Amino acid sequence: MIPVTGVSGRKIAVLGLGRSGLSAARAIRAGGGEPVCWDDGAEGRQRAEDEGFTVTDLTRGGAFEGIAELIVSPGIPHLYPQPHAVVSAALAASVPVDNDIGLFFRSVGVDGLPKVIAVTGSNGKSTTAALIDHVLRSDGRQVQLAGNIGRGVLDLDPPGEGDVVVLELSSYQTELARALTPDVAVFTNLSPDHLDRHGGMGGYFAAKRRLFSEGGPDRAVIGVDEIEGRFLAGQMAEGAGDDRVIRISVDRKLPGPGWSVVARKGYLAEWRKGRQVGAIDLRAVKGLPGSHNHQNACAAYAATRALGLSPKAIESAFHSFAGLPHRSELVAERAGVRFVNDSKATNVDAAAKALLAFDKVRWIAGGLGKEGGVTALEPFLGSVSKAYLIGHSARDFAVQLTSIPVEICETMEVAVARAAAEAAPGEVVLLAPAAASFDQYPNFEKRGDDFKRLVGALDQTG
């Protein structure tokens, strides 16, 4: 645990008592503060009481008298579509609002220790963060992985000299944190997501941008395949040759004298001052299939090069990376048919990248569709033989997918059975939902687990 600094003798309100909220309460108590906890659910309040925390209804009048600040869990809205009532009360009482990420950054980093690499973006954050962690561990570094992946940031062991902390940070986390001081900040890409929470695309980008504009990293690794990334790189760099900014792309060679890492046709190349200084053949890296994973590889390569690792050490580590569950995860191969679980592909952009990673696809999609549906996926369906649609948006998706055969299956069980029965050797049965899971599953992990279970049952019966 990392004790929070600057809270000794002060009352600190904590709203939301899930993983990050309880972790924050423990770290505040360890730092000498007095946590005052609240959760809208009785179960969360009971968890806090079981650990001896004071639970107080922060929605009642006068609840913020004597409170120094409010710590809010990531899932609780603080601005759009409208602030939670407790957040509104805190703001009305002029009480500062922060989150566990802000507490982390203000409680570590004395004298530049440890090194902190923070990864944000729309897609690929988890794989990129896990890959950075894997590369550093393979090089013998002492590393801890936290944030949106792994442990809560305040649950980490106090880092020592030479240690590295790798954080995956969502827009919910970067938007609210009052302190953001990473040594290396990574921006993978940007595509529409969580727009209601951020008041539109501009607010969503602004939330990501704070990691750089307010974080002031020593090195900024920025994906420039979207206009927002190019804009951000331009804002962070003093000139074309400023090597504090490392631009990454899977679309094109990047001109100029600066530092860049590019992956094209399966080959990663590092360029500095107009010269190629490193290269990796990513086609042979089994844990990173497809251009979207090649973008993740570029980001991880750049971040670890920024910490001084050699190209050969990074390449060696790439080959031993097994990938993450629910992200282009090869589940099984049955009679020449591969079954791939990309349940994390919860939006159109992620699904497009998953579809482009394979040549012959039988596509399982659907769930709780997002604004705009899947119409934008039409240009990416050239490899799809048929779509098997599940969940709440199955019929809407069926209307929108006009260029390929579709079958409304409703449930994962029916979709897996139908796709497996019709798949031919050399094809891939791909779960890439392009939708949220909440209509049928509590999260994308449970959805992916169900897919894996059903594929396993095919092996037993087929």
Side-chain angles (χ1 to χ4, degrees), residues 13 32 105 132 143 230 235 304 350 401 409 420 452:
F105 275 111
I132 292 169
V143 191
R230 293 191 288 276
Q235 285 205 314
T304 50
L401 297 170
C409 298
K452 292 193 285 186

Side-chain angles (χ1 to χ4, degrees), residues 194-217:
H194 310 304
L195 300 189
D196 59 334
R197 176 67 182 265
H198 297 293
M201 195 67 177
Y204 179 47
F205 175 52
K208 303 285 189 185
R209 181 179 171 274
R210 288 190 75 246
L211 183 64
F212 299 81
S213 60
E214 300 195 22

Side-chain angles (χ1 to χ4, degrees), residues 205 209 222-224 226-237:
F205 175 52
R209 181 179 171 274
I222 301 175
V224 294
E226 295 89 28
I227 185 61
E228 293 88 355
R230 293 191 288 276
F231 177 82
L232 179 59
Q235 285 205 314
M236 296 299 295

